[in-house]
């Protein structure tokens, strides 16, 4: 069964950077559409960034210009580079993989931005 494992979360001061990584256990990783979502306490899960199998990217309005999503099909990973972090970026970040009717989530990794 497809598994997604996130890493790279932690605590950082406002203005700092973090890089999240998601490793996917699939021999056909390259045809999955991938995304990063986040959920803060009391809020709904929201899209942070996505990257299609063809490399097209999409970003949530609140992170445009600060976050960058990328994928490495050879390593079966999708990364999220987060710069100029803000307190409001604090949330659990989830990796997501979609292919046809398949929709899989990782276990999530906590990102805390605090002074």
């Amino acid at each position: 069964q497809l598994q997604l494992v996130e890493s790279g979360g932690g605590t950082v001061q406002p203005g700092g950077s973090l890089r999240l990584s998601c490793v996917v256990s699939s021999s056909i990783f390259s045809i999955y559409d991938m995304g990063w979502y986040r959920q803060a306490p009391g809020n709904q899960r929201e899209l942070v960034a996505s990257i299609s199998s063809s490399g097209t990217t999409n970003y949530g309005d609140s992170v445009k210009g600060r976050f960058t999503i990328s994928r490495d099909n050879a390593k079966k990973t999708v990364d999220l580079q987060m710069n100029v972090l803000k307190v409001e970026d604090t949330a659990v970040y989830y990796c997501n993989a979609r292919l046809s009717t398949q929709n899989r989530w990782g276990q999530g990794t906590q990102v805390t931005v605090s002074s």
Side-chain angles (χ1 to χ4, degrees):
Q1 184 173 349
L2 182 68
Q3 289 188 325
L4 290 71
V5 179
E6 301 105 332
S7 62
T11 300
V12 64
Q13 292 186 340
S17 298
L18 280 175
R19 188 176 183 89
L20 305 183
S21 186
C22 174
V23 180
V24 181
S25 64
S26 173
S27 60
I28 56 170
F29 169 78
S30 65
I31 66 173
Y32 278 89
D33 293 329
M34 300 298 301
W36 284 96
Y37 289 73
R38 68 186 181 187
Q39 187 168 17
N43 291 355
Q44 290 186 335
R45 193 170 295 188
E46 64 174 359
L47 173 71
V48 177
S50 65
I51 184 165
S52 71
S53 58
S54 62
T56 301
T57 58
N58 183 44
Y59 295 92
D61 288 340
S62 63
V63 307
K64 285 180 181 177
R66 299 188 296 123
F67 291 10
T68 303
I69 190 171
S70 60
R71 66 188 297 161
D72 186 327
N73 289 336
K75 295 181 179 179
K76 303 176 187 178
T77 59
V78 56
D79 291 350
L80 183 69
Q81 178 65 43
M82 306 185 293
N83 297 329
V84 195
L85 283 160
K86 304 176 181 180
V87 172
E88 51 264 42
D89 293 319
T90 296
V92 177
Y93 284 68
Y94 296 90
C95 181
N96 174 260
R98 294 189 180 189
L99 176 64
S100 184
T101 59
Q102 288 190 61
N103 187 22
R104 295 285 188 265
W105 297 91
Q107 81 284 357
T109 185
Q110 177 70 46
V111 171
T112 302
V113 185
S114 174
S115 56

